[in-house]
Amino acid sequence: MLANKSILLVIAGGIAAYKSLDLIRRLRERGARVRCVLTGAAQHFVTPLSVGALTGEKVFTDLFSLTDEQEMGHIQLSRAADLLVVAPATADIMARMAQGRADDLATTVLLATDKPVLIAPAMNVRMWNHKATQRNLAQLRADGVRVVGPNDGDMACGEYGPGRMSEPLEIVAAIEAFFAGGPLQGKHAIVTSGPTHEPIDPVRYIANRSSGKQGHAIAGALAALGARVTLVTGPTSVADPVGVDVVRIETARDMLAACQKALPADIAVCAAAVADWRTEGEATQKLKKGGGPLPKLSLTENPDILHTLSARGKKRPALVVGFAAETEKIVEHAQAKLKKKGCDWIVANDVGSGTGTFGGDSNAVTLITATAADKWAKASKQAVAEKLARRIADHFSGVET
Ligand code: CTP
């Protein structure tokens, strides 16, 4: 519930602005007070009249409005709220925020505020993937701005990919998670998930049966306890967890680079089933049959992400958790893996045939620390994720069970 919470919603000029009308309703249903600032461009998509009718409040649009300044100056407007939300956050407003510009009322309140800011980006997939936008995003994150979304999907412009604004209820969930606080508030967690794909040629690859369900559930469970989560995932069909920053990669080398880029972090959970090997020298053209000798695949070892994160000097996350996918002597092998990788905990799971762990919805794990091996009863991957997230939170609050 958001009773007694005051939200200043900045609506920028993108087609997703129509969803912001629903967002206002959802926030008000939960008891929040919502005041809105519309950029000039936003008013091409939604009108101050509809926004005012839904908020039941005056709508602010003009930096130089004498009446508005007399009633409530822009500095006061920027500070009267408990949280500022920018939805949709277009490429343009993100660029202006990253630069610290104050060239309209929206950017001025965002610059003048002393309150936390949450943005819900929305733009065309190419604009989102553009280096400039990604640079601005990194700057905003470094400035402490929280981010929800964007989602993958069909876009109003007819293209497909990341850039679609989170749905109103996802934004509400991120806002509620912010106010709920949670024991991992202020902590940054990197979670790896899913398989990696190691190309043989442009159409073929080496992969494994990992679904990404366990890693994704852990990312969501850590976020629900208040952590800022960067989920680095290989190709999966699992939906993005709510309130998590998702970085999509294909290969083990990409996964390592994305994890290193996401540092510093307090927590790393490596749940991905990273391919141990890749082909040496990926063919640039499709390998053809042609009746000649069979192609020889020469393999080379991939970097070990868990080992690398566990070894980093000053940038080593305070708690590094690995997984051990084993088919026999589960605890013994996992204990050896804990030492070899240099991580703090290992979640050992039985992936032998017949267990249904890979791709399934449940998991039977043993949590191995330096001093104990704690066997958990078989449970859904979601329940395992929540239990692990709580153990991680307890670790940071000094409670060790
Ligand atoms: N892991 C990793 N990078 C790799 C290989 C594994 O980060 N290149 C991580 C996994 O995410 C997991 C842990 O290391 O947290 C153990 O993975 P697992 O597949 O069980 O073990 P391997 O290291 O691959 O060893 P083996 O296949 O010999 O059991």
Side-chain angles (χ1 to χ4, degrees), residues 192 252 270-276 302-307 321-326 337 340-341:
T192 69
C270 293
V274 184
D276 291 320
N302 267 328
D304 191 312
I305 296 144
L306 177 61
H307 187 246
V321 184
F323 268 70
E326 306 293 348
K337 216 166 256 182
K340 193 173 97 189
K341 304 264 184 176

Side-chain angles (χ1 to χ4, degrees), residues 17-67:
Y18 80 92
K19 290 193 203 171
S20 305
L21 299 179
D22 191 33
L23 174 63
I24 294 168
R25 286 189 49 235
R26 305 288 179 178
L27 291 170
R28 292 206 63 205
E29 271 167 18
R30 286 162 177 76
R33 175 178 192 189
V34 186
R35 267 197 286 233
C36 285
V37 172
L38 266 67
T39 64
Q43 293 168 60
H44 291 287
F45 296 93
V46 291
T47 67
L49 187 64
S50 47
V51 171
L54 288 167
T55 56
E57 300 271 353
K58 181 176 171 52
V59 178
F60 299 86
T61 55
D62 187 3
L63 183 57
F64 300 108
S65 160
L66 188 58
T67 344

Side-chain angles (χ1 to χ4, degrees), residues 314-336:
K314 266 202 305 202
K315 274 197 168 176
R316 185 194 194 276
L319 182 68
V320 182
V321 184
F323 268 70
E326 306 293 348
T327 55
E328 54 164 356
K329 298 185 191 153
I330 317 282
V331 172
E332 233 174 290
H333 283 169
Q335 276 165 336

